[in-house]
Amino acid sequence: MKKEILSRFLNGTASQDEKNLVLKWLEQENARETFDRYLKEIWKDASPSDADRTDYESLLQRIHEKVQPGSGKGKVKRIFSWTTFFRIAASLILVVGSAYFLKQGMEHQHPIPVKIEKTITKATQNGEKLRLELPDGTQITLNANSSLSFSSHFGQNERVVHLSGEAYFIIAKDSLRPFQVITDEMVTTALGTEFNAYARSDQYTLALTEGRVAIDAASQSVELTSGQMATVNARLHPNDLKVNSFDFDRIVGWKEGQLVVDRKPLRVLLEDLRSWYGVEMKIDPQLNLNRRVIGTFRNKNLSDVLTGLGFSMGFDFEINGKVVFIKKESL
């Protein structure tokens, strides 16, 4: 390392590039020893040279005479060398200055880039399902035509996700950071549980399959235990939060490819099939869509499901690519 650069580093006149260069150099092996030797050389250079003809003894004597008149008579007893004083003062200035500039240099670091917070969104289309794991270990299965969004800083201070559609959650335990699922009409808070959350068409439900959760909805707060489901219909009963038991297969069966229908209107069921299988429905307006359906379909393709439904509901169907035509059964 060039001495002139070290000098500028110590006296504070070095450029930023030179400061960085010195700091990087000081990290190398044996660099500190070289730096110490250079400080000693500066100390020697700071000592009075032979060319300095100042009579420090006379100067000290005159000072004594100013302070204590009459003390200048005779030879002043040499208690303290003025030359030594200047050397100590110079040493202190050098050490303090070096420590200051070294500290400034060591404290200066390249600014750590700040990660800008952004929103991450995971979404599924009609006929799709998505399994994902969050940074805290929480596992989520996202149903068709659903979306889940969360902060890129998820898990650092809080665990919050926003859901539209339907998803099944297996929450990783963390007593210090509760997990929250937020939908338009319901907030679910959990520590380590499993539940199914639904938020579609003004209908919001939380079906708890394991553990306990707190629900805030319809200006009310309730706590659910395993086997209970909270429901809010934002269109018909916006201020009514209902808590009931539920059938696991009917609510959560979709996750394993099982469709359980319990007195669901045909209109709603066909809408679910449209979403789950990713098709477009063309429905005969003469078909009675208010009839309710009861049945279970396990790992069936769309054709098998519609065959069973058509037999009991009295309709025929035709599948043409991604379009399904449903018409009233001809007599």
Side-chain angles (χ1 to χ4, degrees):
M1 176 61 62
K2 294 183 179 180
K3 292 183 178 180
E4 55 267 27
I5 296 179
L6 290 177
S7 296
R8 288 194 290 272
F9 177 81
L10 291 172
N11 62 32
T13 60
S15 66
Q16 189 58 57
D17 289 340
E18 289 175 333
K19 290 179 183 179
N20 294 336
L21 183 63
V22 172
L23 291 175
K24 186 175 181 180
W25 172 72
L26 286 173
E27 295 176 356
Q28 299 178 8
E29 188 177 359
N30 299 326
R32 293 285 180 172
E33 296 179 5
T34 304
F35 187 70
D36 290 342
R37 288 198 300 271
Y38 177 65
L39 290 179
K40 291 179 182 179
E41 292 178 7
I42 295 177
W43 156 247
K44 291 180 181 179
D45 292 341
S47 301
S49 64
D50 294 337
D52 184 1
R53 299 182 179 278
T54 303
D55 189 347
Y56 291 104
E57 298 292 342
S58 299
L59 179 61
L60 179 61
Q61 185 172 333
R62 288 198 299 273
I63 292 174
H64 274 285
E65 290 177 353
K66 290 287 185 180
V67 177
Q68 295 178 324
S71 63
K73 296 179 181 180
K75 188 174 181 179
V76 178
K77 184 177 179 181
R78 184 168 181 171
I79 300 175
F80 187 77
S81 170
W82 193 252
T83 302
T84 303
F85 169 78
F86 276 105
R87 292 186 63 185
I88 293 175
S91 175
L92 287 174
I93 292 172
L94 176 62
V95 171
V96 173
S98 299
Y100 172 77
F101 289 114
L102 184 59
K103 180 177 182 295
Q104 292 296 313
M106 295 299 290
E107 288 183 347
H108 174 78
Q109 299 177 351
H110 293 292
I112 300 175
V114 178
K115 293 184 178 180
I116 300 175
E117 185 176 10
K118 60 182 180 180
T119 300
I120 299 173
T121 300
K122 301 293 184 180
T124 55
Q125 302 300 317
N126 290 335
E128 294 181 342
K129 290 186 181 70
L130 175 65
R131 284 184 169 86
L132 62 140
E133 182 172 320
L134 297 183
D136 68 335
T138 293
Q139 299 176 28
I140 302 173
T141 302
L142 199 60
N143 204 352
N145 195 26
S146 303
S147 66
L148 186 81
S149 61
F150 51 92
S151 168
S152 58
H153 293 171
F154 175 91
Q156 294 182 9
N157 297 310
E158 58 182 12
R159 301 189 295 167
V160 178
V161 299
H162 295 260
L163 172 68
S164 175
E166 185 172 24
Y168 188 83
F169 294 82
I170 302 177
I171 306 299
K173 293 184 178 180
D174 188 337
S175 60
L176 299 179
R177 295 175 299 174
F179 194 105
Q180 285 194 322
V181 178
I182 299 177
T183 63
D184 289 340
E185 298 292 335
M186 185 178 291
V187 177
T188 302
T189 303
L191 295 177
T193 54
E194 295 188 25
F195 54 82
N196 190 84
Y198 181 94
R200 295 189 201 274
S201 304
D202 296 323
Q203 187 81 6
Y204 300 86
T205 66
L206 192 291
L208 182 63
T209 59
E210 183 178 311
R212 305 173 75 92
V213 296
I215 302 294
D216 290 292
S219 301
Q220 301 178 53
S221 296
V222 298
E223 187 175 279
L224 301 184
T225 57
S226 180
Q228 290 184 316
M229 179 172 68
T231 303
V232 172
N233 188 313
R235 182 172 60 86
L236 298 179
H237 307 287
N239 298 318
D240 187 12
L241 174 62
K242 295 182 178 180
V243 176
N244 303 102
S245 59
F246 68 95
D247 179 83
F248 181 89
D249 289 336
R250 184 171 66 85
I251 298 298
V252 189
W254 65 267
K255 190 167 67 76
E256 305 301 333
Q258 178 173 288
L259 176 61
V260 179
V261 186
D262 183 15
R263 299 186 58 78
K264 179 177 289 189
L266 179 59
R267 176 187 293 102
V268 177
L269 178 56
L270 291 178
E271 179 63 23
D272 288 342
L273 295 177
R274 180 197 66 79
S275 175
W276 294 341
Y277 290 96
V279 295
E280 180 182 358
M281 294 282 188
K282 300 289 187 179
I283 302 173
D284 186 345
Q286 296 183 2
L287 184 63
N288 183 3
L289 298 177
N290 293 321
R291 296 179 63 186
R292 295 184 176 273
V293 182
I294 299 175
T296 301
F297 305 89
R298 290 183 174 86
N299 297 312
K300 299 291 186 179
N301 59 42
L302 180 58
S303 179
D304 290 341
V305 173
L306 290 176
T307 298
L309 284 175
F311 180 78
S312 60
M313 294 289 105
F315 66 79
D316 294 322
F317 70 91
E318 178 185 348
I319 300 177
N320 187 358
K322 288 292 185 179
V323 180
V324 178
F325 297 91
I326 295 178
K327 61 182 180 178
K328 186 175 181 180
E329 187 176 41
S330 59
L331 299 177

